[in-house]
Each structure stands twice: as C-alpha cells, then as structure tokens.
C-alpha cells in the first residue's frame, strides 16, 4: 500500500473541482510556504547552573482539546534568556452546558506580555485540537512569528486560514520534515515521525541547556503497518541512550488497556466490507482520517469499484494529500456524486463526511432528503467508520434509525473492529517510556483522570512516583538540570470561548442566562404608568417566548396582567416618591412566584415600567 | 444467595428511617394493595370467525422509553366487544433538543374515548420506562380501573404515586404473582416470571378467541444464576406446544450479538472488588438495580464489611424490597453515613445513587463537597456499577476527573465486566423464539433500528419475512385467527411532554424558541413614541440576556439605540397613518441584521413600540 510517493504522476487537474469548484486554490495558498532551513548540526549552548525552563501548558491537560503549551528559557546571564517556543494551538468543542458557543481556544493572557520573545510555533499535526486556535491566536501573538509543521499540516492550516481572513489571514509558514533540525539558541529542535490517523504527524525533541525534553504530540505505535505513518522507534531508541530529562506524552487513550489495534486489522475488515457489498456502499467518516480514506480508495480500486467523494472538507483534504503525495488515487475510479446511478449499485462506493450525525454533513443531508443527487435506497449499506464522540450518540442513533427505515443496512464501529483510534494505549505508552527511559514523565493531552492513569503506567514501567508530574492547565513546571518540579505558580488557563465574532466576551453570566432561557423561557412585562394618576394605562403588555404556548394560556396571561396592575398601582398609591427599582423587583419576584405556582416553571421575568 | 425469602425475620423497624425520616410509610401505602383474585382455570370464550384484536402500541416502538400498548377485542356480536387491556404506562427522558422538559409520556388520545372499556392495566415491572406515566395517565383513564403487578412493582408504583398527589393519588392496585390467572372475558391472562435487573418482573400471556399472544416485558435469560430472577423457560416451552399466534418481544439489546452475561460473572467481579478494597469502597448505581444491591449487601456481609446506604430512592427501594422479602439484610452490617469514620476505611462500603453523574444524586454531592457527612479521601475506590446512558458521558467524565483529583481510584463498567444489562441479546432472543415457536413476531421496546435487527434474528430463527411485523408507534396491527397484519391505521402517538405542571402544553414552537434563546439569547427593544411629534422619547430601552455581556458592549448598544430611533422616526415621518406592525417587523429585521453583522450572533429580537 503506497502511503507516500512523491513521484506519483499528477492526476488531471481539477478532478474534484468539477462538483465543488472550490478546490485547487490550495496551490496558491501553499505558494507562501517556505522550506524551513535545517541546521547542519545541533549545538546546545551552555547554560548557567541555575538555568531553567518553565513549561507552561495553557490547555489540553484537563480535557481532550485546546492543546497548547509554551516553554520559556530562564537564564538571566544568557542571550537566550526569556526565549519561548510554543507547541500547538488547538481548539476544544463546547459541551452541552455552553449553548451557542462555537468553540473554546487556549488562554494566552500569560503569553501576551512576552510575545516578542516567541521564537517559533511548532505544530505537531493538523487536527483541530492542535491547530484550531491558530486563526484567533496568531494575529495576537504576532503573525510574523515562524510557524513550523510538515507539508500536510501546513497545507491544512493554510486552507483553514482562508476561512478566517477577517481575523488577519497572514501566517509565516515553514515546512519541516521528520529530519529537519532547527536552531533556536537555547532550544535546539529535532523531530520524529509518529503514527497517527492523519499523515505528517510528528513529535518534538528539544535539546536544551538543562537537558532533553520530548513532546510526543498525538501518537500511536503500529508495529505491523505503516498505513497510518510510522513512529520512528529507532530515533527514540537512540534517545534512550541520551538520558532524556522529560518525556511529555499523549494520554488520550491512557484509559485503555493493551495495545492499540493495527491499521492492518482495520484494512482487512474494510476490505471484506467493500469486497462483499452487494449494493451501494456509503462510508461516513471524518475528513481528516486521511489514512483511512487512502485505504478505502486503494481497496475500491482493487475490487474495481467506482468512488464518489462528497463533502467539501473531505474533497479538499484528499486533494491536498494527493497533491503532497500522501494519497494515491487512480483517477479512473473517481466518479461524480451526480453520476452514481449510471453504475451498477454494487460497483458504487460513496465516501462522505458525517459519521457523527452532524446536522450539515453530507451523510445527514442524504438521509434527510436534502442532498441534490443522492438518497438512500433499499439495499444500501452504510458504514459509520469512526467511533462516536460523546454527545453525538443521539444524532447517530437518529441517523441509524432513519437508515433502517429507508431499507439500508448499517455497519457501525461497534459491530466490527474498525475503530482503531490514533492514540497509544497503556501498553504502547509503557513501551514508549521503556524505550526513551526518561528521568521524568509528564502526561499531557487528556482529562485529569487520563493523566493519572498514564502516571500509573509510568509506575508500572518502573518510574518512581516523584518522577511523574501530573499538572493542571496553567500550572507551571520548572525544568532544571536533573530535575522537574511542579510549582504553585498558575497562569490564566480558563476558557476563552468563541461565539460568532466574539472571542472571550461570553462569560459565565451570559451562559447562565442562556441555560435559564433554554429551560423555561422568558416573560417580559411592559407596564405604562400615567405619572399623573399613578394608574397603569390600559392592559400591561406581555411578551413571552419558550415558556408556555400563549394561545392556549389566555387565562394565565389575564391573571398575570391583573397582578402586574395591582403591584404597580399599589406602589404608586402608597409610595411618594415611587421607588421604581423596588417596583420592578417586586414585579419580578411576585409575577415569578405566581407563574411558578401556576405552572411549576420559572421563566426569566423581565419587568419594564414606563412612566408617561 | 437468597433472593426471595418471605419468612426472613424483619429487621428492627425504622432502621433506615434514622437518617431519612421518610421511609416506613410505604407500609401504609401498601395497605391499599389487594391480592388479585386468581381464576381457577382459564376458559377462552368462542369468538366469531371475524373476531380480531387490535394491537395498538402508543409508545416504545421508536425509542427506549414510554412503553405502552393496548389490545382491543373487536367482535360486534360478542359481549366482550370493545374490551381493552393496557400493558405498561412508561415515561421517556427528554433529549438535549428538549430543554426544560421533565419527561415524555405516552399519548392516550386514541384511548380516551374508549376508556370505559378498559378492563385492566397490567404493569410488567417497576422501571420508570414502564410505570413512569401512571401518575399522569391513570387519572385521565379512570383511577378505578384495576392495575395489576407483582408486589414489588406495586410497592414502587404506590411510593411514586405519593409524589404526585396533586394529580389524584388514588390507584386501584391488585397484586399478582407469576402464577396468577386473570379472567377478563376475551382476554384470559397468565404471567411468566422473567429475569431482569429488578425483581418482580413478569411477561404476559393473553389467551384470546383469536389465539395466544405473548408480551415479554423486559427480560433476559440467565441460565447460570437466579440473582436477577428466573425466566420461566419451562412455562414457555409448554407454550411452544400450543401454537402461539404472536410473540411481542423486548428489543432493547437486539443490537448486541451473543448472549447476555450472567449475574454470576458480575457477582464474581463485584466480590473481588469488595474483598480486595484496601480503603473505603463507594459504589454508585441505580436505586432500581435491586438485584445488584442485594448482591453487594451479601458480599459485604461475607467479608465482614459495614455498609452505609445513602440516597432516598435507594433506601426506600431497599426498604421495600426487604419488606417484601426480595432482599435479605443483616441489620448488624448497616451503619449510618454519619458514622463511617468510626470504622477502619477498609471495612466501609458506601452504597449511593448517582453513577450517571446526576446533579443532585448522592455521589455528585459527595464529590462536590455538598454532602453532610461524606467526602472523598485519598485511598477511596469509587465503583460506577452501571453503564453510562447516552447523554451522561460528560457528567460522568467530570465526576471521574474530580475523583482522581481528590486521590480516589475509579473502577468503571468498562474496566471490568460488571455491566451485564437486563436485556436479552441476539442469541437469547433467538432462543426465546425457538422455544415459543410463535407464528408471528412483533419486536417491541426499542428504536426502529433495534426492531429491524430483532427482525433479522427472527429470520435467523427460521421465521419467514412476512411473519415478522415491525410497527411504528401508533400503528395498529390486526390480529385474527392465524394472521397478524400491520394496517395503515395510525393513532396519535406524538410526544406528550411534561414540563412542570403542564402536560402536553409545550409544543414544537415553544421548544424552538427555547433552543433559539439558548443559542444566542434575547434582545428586547422598547421605544416610546410621542404620538404628537412622531419622535422617540429619550433613548430606547434595551433589555438583553444571554447575548453579549452588556457592560462590555456599550458601543454596540449605543449604535443599536440610534438605529431603533432612526427606523421608528423614519416611519412616523413618512407613513400616515403609521402601520405599527410594519414598524415592529422592520425593527426586528434591521436590528437583527445589524447585530448579526457586528457579532455573528442572532439573538431573538423582540421590539415593543409604545405610543403615548
């Protein structure tokens, strides 16, 4: 299986462009990518005996998402004093307690005053939890700061940046390979390729005056296949001889015992599904699972099937990966979604986005009849080729029920073992520790419990408890020669929420209001009071949404209006002068209680009193 | 292991009452329970050749929840013509698209005009998806209609009814056993005990003039243990000789291949956990998993541990189950939650509600420091003894992270095999079909895809496709001698949502408003217009919630006010007379667009114009 073949003949230009009309401009975007200058040899400068590196994880240590850390060299006598390297700038998706929020990005408050000391931003791979914060964060840090990543990583960053031009589109992109060496003074940086479910993923090796620090990025170890890329164990074994000071390692799957599955097993299962499909096969997956997409394309070709790819992000990603040689596609097997009916059903494979039941993804549009060309027909088999992200279960269940109703068969990741993830499991993590033999271990990338379970793995690998550092977001670790210490220093690491154009302007109070509005709606009272007589003019206006169905609640509204009139007029007749704040508070409380008594619901009551 | 021992000596009265003060009154409630009169022998009357039974599932066939069906005998010449039997009246929990909704109950619109013909309501077991609609539905159908269930089922119904006294507390409760025979004319009814994760579960056998119909309720088959009750296979084998016409069978786990685990395996794992616990053991589970709770109590006694039970529903359920002989507790091992510190940690087991991360359950209160006596201490082991219900993953993850942070260890259902459910899996379903040998199969209780997968099992068991009936909620099936036919008739089966005191008054429009409010909040504009001059008096009032943080949005509000003034005054100066509806629509659209342009958010805009 070819996963990387730079000399592959280019397919006819604009192959995918036919249906989307948007692709191919990626080549323009990539024009700005420079090859990074690789150093001949890395030479670590001497540091003073008190030199240290502050390791500051601002995100990713209490969640899966918004991964970002920075490393700051502290050595007042040195010309490198204060220099900073940033690793990853990811986003996190909101949970159900954050209605209306688009996503969450890392908090860079502590970094902003020092932004001129940032020498480089290194991106380990192109998943959103590692790149998603770039459009918002980079303009604030300084768009000219060099950003490093492999070709595919940079291409996906560049593509995404287009969607955020209003935030300042410019980035200083520098392409590295697994073997690039970067000289940033106190930080002499190398990389190692890692296996993950997106090609072009790397880990980072930082040679510094205080010792060697390693950041794995996301990784797995697949000893039986290179489909998902190869974790360069040989490089790591060499590091094992060099007395590595600190290993910062991916904890995403630290809950899982054993070894991660090999892509070979997935390939076999996928091959059986594609080979045996008696009708159309519709495969839903993530646009970023490029290794998986490549496998499917190869197998489809082997069994003489035709493949229609639909979904803008999937098309673009495949286009990019092919352009860069990570994917090989025989153009003869590609067909348009509009043309699938021209082929026998059992010859057709449709590759689409939407295995999580996302509202606007292609699979959902097919299932709900909103797709221009494709609809489910009896005999179709639909494969959900990725595990379900918590929170999406009900949408996926809805999709599944609808598919069965329309006569399709469904194969999900639970029914088959096609759900190998991209992350090392416990025995892989142990193997990595035993290979690198670090003095200290800092689990990163995962919820707190994952980090603790990773720490347990470290102890099983023979590390002493005090050599394992479990930090929180924002908690600073100090790395000195021969020691890593968690400090009490905490930098701001609370959520920065993106909502439309607003970044960080949605605070707790706004979210609380949204939750309250969602639960019982709103009840606005408008009373116009004649300042001469103190009487409410006519009948108070009431506007309510999300509380009760107004047309069926006339009696309730009638009584509420009477109550409003009574409360207001009681005040105007007994208070001189009238304390309107008191009147409004009274309206809020008494009308709120009245509505609760009648309905056992607590809408947000907003009283407006207008004196005329 | 004793699971049922009616002669067990009563523990000292009020044992649990000490901390809750609420238990023990269940005995008062049970005073009203009558023993059902069992018929000596069931005699099925003759029906005319055209006699039929309408099987009407009003809920539970497109979801896991709100199970309810009724069977109506149609034979115009017969004195039993029109007689109806209802089976189960459950609730369903709302999903995240239904903010503020408490739960969903079955739609009884089609049953109301015929309510006087209801001869009996039969409840198969005491889980909420089978009993939860009773407090709302029974007063409407007629509280005097006899309701049948086993002792435990009725006790839990009676207890729950107390919480709904405002809806009419009275029920006509009639206790059955597995061997009770009920004579309802055209419906001659027997029961068979089933294994499930709550004791006292039964399936229903209906001997009728058109043939034998079987409703399994929820069931599993556990051939190795009676801990969860026994599915009376012998009775079913006898039915296998009687040419059963229709089997209506539980599809909850029809997605799962193989056989359901035996409670024996769970018991072994639980025994190892309790035996080996070096510190306190805190076990979170459902209050209704009485079989599991019983096991834990027995094992704790075996290893000389002390058990503190906390959580009102759990205490009450154990109290009820013990009162009825389903659970045996040695009073010597029970301690108060307030006294756990008096015992060595490794001697203490705490049994609590809340394994789903529910906000107000005991486990959450312990973890968040809101519990009066208990807090997590280093060395505690917390066991989540039930699988996570979709939608609860994030809450459970929050709990888990917090527990690790506080130094506890966590064992969840995934780490161990302690998650045997209460439902038959594919091979169990096949075994049931092969045992009963029905002419027709109607999968019930589950999402549409589960029913279809159950249908596949039926075909694997040798049934012809046309003998398997997959119905929707509300779709009427007609059962005649030798045939079951799905008709096109549909009775109302849409959601009836309970929200506070309101039943069915929250409609789509209210939910849509709530979702919109949750996403971007509300923006209320109040403009007071001088009818003489057409000018807006002063500055328009703006009230906004859940949209932006107002204190930091002064400029936005300033511009919005200017826009409001401009729109209103343009109209008052150019239109004669002023069309206020037009002005309000204009305000809504233009201010909405303005806010979207500035923020990319779309709050609900509510304009109020007051002419003075």
């Amino acid at each position: 299986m070819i996963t990387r073949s730079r000399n592959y003949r280019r397919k006819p230009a604009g192959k995918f462009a036919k249906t989307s009309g948007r692709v191919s401009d990626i080549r323009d975007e990539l024009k700005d990518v420079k090859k990074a200058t690789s150093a001949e040899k890395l030479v670590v400068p001497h540091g003073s005996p008190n030199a240290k590196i502050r390791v500051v994880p601002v995100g990713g240590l209490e969640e899966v998402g918004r991964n970002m850390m920075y490393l700051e060299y502290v050595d007042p006598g040195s010309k490198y004093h204060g220099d900073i390297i940033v690793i990853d700038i990811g986003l996190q998706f909101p949970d159900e307690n954050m209605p209306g929020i688009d996503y969450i990005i890392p908090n860079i408050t502590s970094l902003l005053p020092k932004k001129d000391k940032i020498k480089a931003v290194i991106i380990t791979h192109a998943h959103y939890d590692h790149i998603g914060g770039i459009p918002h964060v980079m303009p604030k840090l300084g768009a000219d700061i060099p950003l490093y990543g492999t070709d595919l990583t940079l291409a996906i960053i560049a593509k995404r940046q287009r969607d955020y031009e209003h935030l300042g589109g410019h980035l200083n992109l520098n392409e590295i390979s697994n073997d690039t060496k970067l000289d940033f003074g106190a930080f002499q940086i190398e990389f190692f390729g890692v296996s993950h479910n997106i090609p072009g993923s790397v880990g980072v090796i930082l040679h510094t005056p205080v010792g060697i620090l390693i950041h794995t990025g996301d990784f797995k170890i697949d000893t039986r296949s290179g489909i998902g890329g190869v974790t360069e164990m040989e490089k790591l074994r060499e590091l094992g001889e060099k007395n590595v000071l600190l290993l910062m390692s991916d904890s995403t799957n630290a809950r899982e015992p054993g070894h991660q599955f090999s892509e070979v097993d997935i390939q076999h299962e996928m091959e059986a599904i594609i080979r045996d499909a008696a009708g159309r096969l519709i495969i839903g997956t993530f646009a970023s699972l490029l290794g998986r997409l490549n496998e499917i394309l190869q197998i489809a070709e082997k069994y003489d099937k035709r493949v229609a790819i639909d979904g803008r992000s999937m098309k673009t990603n495949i286009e990019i990966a092919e352009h860069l040689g990570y994917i090989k596609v025989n153009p003869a097997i590609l067909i348009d979604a509009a043309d699938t009916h021209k082929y026998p059903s059992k010859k057709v494979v449709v590759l689409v986005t939407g295995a999580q039941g996302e509202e606007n993804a292609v699979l959902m549009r097919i299932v709900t009849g909103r797709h221009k060309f494709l609809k489910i027909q009896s005999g179709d088999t639909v494969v959900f080729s990725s595990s379900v992200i918590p929170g999406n279960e009900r949408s996926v269940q809805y999709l599944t029920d609808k598919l069965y109703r329309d006569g399709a068969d469904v194969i999900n990741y639970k029914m088959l073992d096609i759900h190998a993830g991209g992350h090392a499991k416990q025995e892989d993590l142990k193997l990595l520790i035993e290979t690198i033999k670090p003095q200290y271990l800092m689990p990163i990338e995962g919820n707190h419990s994952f980090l603790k379970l990773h720490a347990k793995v470290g102890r099983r690998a023979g590390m002493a408890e005090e050599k394992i550092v479990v930090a929180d977001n924002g908690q600073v670790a100090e790395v000195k020669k021969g020691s890593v210490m968690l400090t009490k220093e905490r930098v701001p690491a609370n959520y920065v929420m993106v909502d439309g154009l607003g970044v960080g302007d949605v605070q707790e109070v706004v979210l609380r209001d949204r939750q309250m509005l969602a639960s019982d709606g709103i009840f606005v009272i408008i009373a116009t009071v004649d300042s001469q007589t103190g009487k409410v003019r006519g009948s108070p206006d009431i506007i309510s949404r999300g509380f009760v169905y107004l047309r069926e609640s006339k009696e309730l509204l009638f009584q509420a209006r009477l109550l409003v009139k009574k409360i207001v007029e009681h005040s105007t007749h007994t208070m001189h002068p009238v304390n309107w704040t008191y009147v409004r508070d009274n309206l809020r409380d008494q009308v709120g209680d009245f509505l609760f008594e009648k309905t056992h619901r607590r809408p947000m009551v907003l009283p407006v009193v207008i004196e005329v």
Side-chain angles (χ1 to χ4, degrees), chain A residues 326 397 411 510:
Chain A
Y326 285 98
Q397 186 57 54
I411 298 175
V510 174

Side-chain angles (χ1 to χ4, degrees), chain A residues 369-408:
Chain A
R370 288 182 288 130
H371 194 281
K372 208 166 165 191
F373 309 114
L374 298 167
K375 58 178 281 193
I376 296 298
Q377 56 201 43
S378 185
D380 285 349
T381 300
V382 179
V383 180
F384 289 80
S385 165
S386 52
S387 53
V388 179
I389 294 171
N392 293 341
E393 294 83 0
R394 292 196 213 233
S395 306
V396 172
Q397 186 57 54
Y398 166 80
L399 263 184
T400 305
D401 288 332
K402 185 73 170 62
L403 286 166
Y404 273 98
R405 188 174 291 282
D406 294 341

Side-chain angles (χ1 to χ4, degrees), chain A residues 69 75 127 144 172 253 333 336 398 408 484 495 511 521 576 580:
Chain A
M69 72 159 55
D75 188 1
H127 281 157
D144 285 328
N172 177 358
N253 271 8
I333 69 163
D336 256 23
Y398 166 80
V484 177
Y495 285 168
L511 284 187
H576 301 286
W580 290 111

Side-chain angles (χ1 to χ4, degrees), chain A residues 299-433:
Chain A
I299 298 168
E301 183 174 2
K302 180 169 170 185
Y303 291 100
D304 195 26
K305 307 242 176 177
R306 296 293 171 271
V307 182
I309 300 169
D310 206 20
R312 184 175 81 107
S313 55
M314 190 176 277
K315 279 184 179 179
T316 320
N317 281 356
I318 291 178
E319 165 92 355
I320 293 171
E322 208 203 351
H323 175 67
L324 298 172
Y326 285 98
I327 281 189
K328 175 186 172 177
V329 193
N330 178 351
I333 69 163
L334 295 177
I335 60 174
D336 256 23
D339 295 335
T340 52
H341 64 280
K342 298 180 183 162
Y343 299 84
S345 294
K346 70 173 187 173
K347 284 284 171 202
V348 175
V349 175
V350 182
L351 264 181
V352 296
T353 52
Q356 299 289 322
E358 305 94 321
E359 189 54 40
N360 287 311
V362 178
L363 187 53
M364 187 63 101
R365 285 195 276 123
I366 296 174
V367 167
T368 53
R370 288 182 288 130
H371 194 281
K372 208 166 165 191
F373 309 114
L374 298 167
K375 58 178 281 193
I376 296 298
Q377 56 201 43
S378 185
D380 285 349
T381 300
V382 179
V383 180
F384 289 80
S385 165
S386 52
S387 53
V388 179
I389 294 171
N392 293 341
E393 294 83 0
R394 292 196 213 233
S395 306
V396 172
Q397 186 57 54
Y398 166 80
L399 263 184
T400 305
D401 288 332
K402 185 73 170 62
L403 286 166
Y404 273 98
R405 188 174 291 282
D406 294 341
D409 234 332
V410 175
I411 298 175
N412 67 38
Y413 73 104
K414 271 188 187 161
M415 290 167 167
L416 290 155
D417 270 331
I418 50 174
H419 61 295
H423 300 273
K425 294 186 176 178
Q426 288 174 359
E427 294 312 307
D428 306 312
L429 295 171
K430 183 159 173 279
L431 175 62
L432 190 80
I433 295 166

